[in-house]
Amino acid sequence: MAHQDSYLHLRGESKYIGDNPPPQNTLFMSVLGSPIGHGKIRKIETQKAESLEGVVKILTHKDIPGENQIGPLIPDEELLASTMVEYMGQPIALVLAEDKITARKAVKEINLEIEPLPVIMDPVEAYKKGEIIGSPRTFVLGDLEKGFKESQVIIEGECETGGQEHLYLETQRALAVPKEDGGILLYSSTQSPSAVQRTVSKVLGLPQRMIEVDVKRLGGGFGGKEDQATPWACMASLGAWITKRPVLLVLHRLEDMLMTGKRHPYKAKFRMGLTKEGKILAYEVTHFQNAGASADLSPAILERTLFHSTNAYFIPNVRIHAISCKTNQPPHTAFRGFGGPQGMFAIEAAIAKAAETLGMHREEIQKRNLLKEGDMLPYGQRTEKCHAQKTWEALCNKYNIQDFIEEVHQFNQRHLLQKKGYAFMPICFGISFTATFLNQGRALVHVYTDGSVSISTGGIEMGQGLTSNLIRLASSALGIGEDKIQIETTNTTRIANISPSAASATTDLNGHATLLAIQEILQNIKEVVCHKLTLPDPQKITIEKERVYYNGADTGICWQEAVMMTYFERKSLSAHGHYATPHIYFDKNREKGRPFAYHVYGTAFIQVTVDILRGTYDIDRIRIVHDLGRSINPVIDLGQIEGGLAQGLGWMTLEELAYNSNGKLLSHALATYKAPDIHFMPDDMKVLLLETENPVGPRGSKAVGEPPLMYGIGVFFAIRHALLAWQKEDYPLVAPLTPEKVFMNLYGSKSQKKELVL
Ligand code: MTE
Ligand code: LUZ
Ligand code: MOS
């Protein structure tokens, strides 16, 4: 089954907010962001802008009828800045105009007087000044000091990862339409309709029931719309509530890149103790998260960093410490992996350093310490159905990796101006929201009298293929064709209190809920059929290919007839399913529990060639063995693996957010921010979907959305490996490793560099 939207997408026919002509009388909104990174607002003068022809109204914090507060976890974020601005681009005022161009023009005519204050861009500097968000967290396993005492080698070091722009194709946007009762019908490009509903209700001072949020699909979210679709929806709603006219707000790409938060940059300090054979006995790490100017989801993201700090390895003695640091960058937010990748990068960096100190291959240490069945993770959960070693071995055997490694060594002996490098990258990613209460999903299923089916869930289609997965699951549960099933928009009046479509758990939660609702309807149908045909046991009814069987024998009744019978018997053909992931909990006081329903495992092999003259590089080949459970739809899953991988590769290599010292983002356009394209991906790429058991997933499937991103981390160490083949040196463990940085690593520093002699 192809991706449900593929034909529409390819033909450019899929609809997004703002694609259809806006409703009559619609006003266009434009946002004035702070021109500086930190300062005290002295004056906001709007008269001149307001007098422009076509401008209807200018809104500031004073126009907010409810609370000027949108922080999702900690109330530390204003919708519109009142007295202080804390990052460049922070929204201050809104223009409502009869057309888009006038709205944009008027923004420039608003006069601001802001007294500048010092800007902090570095998390460690913020930490030293006491600028932290929430409380630092610490996970402990075993006895760290004892582990270090028993170690034969101890290494320490520092590493750094950069931020990442989400670069969803569809920028942030919302259309707010006033309803007759004073409420708002809101079309928002959000991963979290209930977060939008909740926050708009707070900002407008209206009950949640008066805010209806409807989402058809997103042109990508990648975490960037888990929480940060909310402010724009609030702004459009504020405009609609005040003017009683529909309001459309669509961010320009430049505005989106300047104003929204990104993946959190991190710095980390680590210490690792090992035996001479490479067994890791102790690991200590402190993560400094660059949270930006307000909390947003940072505390939850910090938590996932803690959970994933030992990646796919068992380490008996561990101390993980993590601090969220407040800086003058936009509030950084969810991004595929949600803090996990940053935690995993640090241990991979430590292993690289350890290997270089011990004179071993990195993969020897990786392999020796891979998780096994029943191993204890630092947060108190033991591995169950652990496939860390299995995916590693399957990778080596299936793809003859040893041959590639030979090839790399031989190539490096023969070539001076080019060096090859490789890296293995195992992953272990926990599936479930770490905030246990979010692990719930709901579905509303209707069967119409013609036998066609309508399904609403809390899940959002953002390109990841949720719609296709739900259709597949429903079609096989009902025993009817995929063409009979329709997935509706996600709407807060049909499904309430929705958890964000995030944490890779959308199909798990909403798929299970859909299956529960379907079971309830099928029960009614089966009982009616048995009653009508005077058969004793409804459980013996099955439906396959739209025909009804009893005990395996055709009853002569088809799906649609069974549906009609049920209707005439006045039994319900609709049901609401509610699913909550079983057996998960976490005790934050002890920092122990069983937070994840299961883990996803996999191993990647990445090989690169570095041009030693220019610092440029190519990815030669990638091999991946990925643990998928029983795939609902391999085409979708493969797309997720390749897409996630590409994003991970980009994060580690090309994608660099450059700020100046005043907090201005310099790389705020696609001319200056380079994301990987199809040419950057290796021509030679193979993925093996390893079928494994997962009793917890719908139809035995496993979540796939985020984990593959972390395979991309391997490319950093593959490039480093090639650099080491040129010259052994303690290269900085700083990502992204852009071609410029590679060049500077090769020739840039004052230390004695090997001279290139031809
Ligand atoms: N794939 C596409 N095409 N577009 C997206 O926005 N988001 C990613 C991933 N894959 C995303 C995507 C992120 S961050 C998550 S959490 C999951 O999809 C969310 O969907 P799922 O829970 O259905 O996997
Ligand atoms: N969002 C969230 C997430 O609120 N909690 C999580 O654990 C999570 N994990 C991944 C992505 N988004
Ligand atoms: Mo994904 S970062 O959980 O939206």
Side-chain angles (χ1 to χ4, degrees), residues 166 191 221-226 333-338 433 462 500-505 706:
H166 298 88
Q191 291 173 241
F222 306 111
K225 296 169 182 171
E226 179 171 339
T333 194
F335 194 137
R336 211 169 191 169
F338 205 73
F433 287 94
M462 60 187 111
S501 282
S504 308
E706 293 169 287

Side-chain angles (χ1 to χ4, degrees), residues 451-468:
S452 66
V453 176
S454 153
I455 300 176
S456 297
T457 75
I460 300 288
E461 172 63 52
M462 60 187 111
Q464 88 279 40
L466 172 71
T467 303
S468 316

Side-chain angles (χ1 to χ4, degrees), residues 73 223 226 297 300-301 303-304 334-338 429-430 432-435 438 500-504 596 706:
L73 301 178
E226 179 171 339
L297 299 171
I301 290 159
E303 186 169 58
R304 202 173 264 280
F335 194 137
R336 211 169 191 169
F338 205 73
F429 196 78
S432 290
F433 287 94
T434 60
L438 289 175
S501 282
S504 308
F596 299 119
E706 293 169 287

Side-chain angles (χ1 to χ4, degrees), residues 136-185:
R137 304 264 301 264
T138 310
F139 283 14
V140 176
L141 182 71
D143 181 340
L144 192 73
E145 285 325 306
K146 184 165 154 273
F148 277 121
K149 263 198 211 111
E150 288 168 2
S151 298
Q152 292 166 304
V153 189
I154 296 175
I155 57 103
E156 53 183 33
E158 294 175 6
C159 66
E160 201 176 318
T161 50
Q164 186 175 23
E165 164 62 42
H166 298 88
L167 223 65
Y168 26 66
L169 286 180
E170 180 202 31
T171 55
Q172 303 278 3
R173 59 195 60 202
L175 171 65
V177 183
K179 292 202 209 183
E180 60 179 20
D181 63 353
I184 306 276
L185 168 57

Side-chain angles (χ1 to χ4, degrees), residues 62 193 204 217 379 520 530 644 724:
K62 292 188 185 134
L204 297 186
R217 64 160 71 78
Y379 42 93
E520 199 178 316
C530 279
L724 288 166

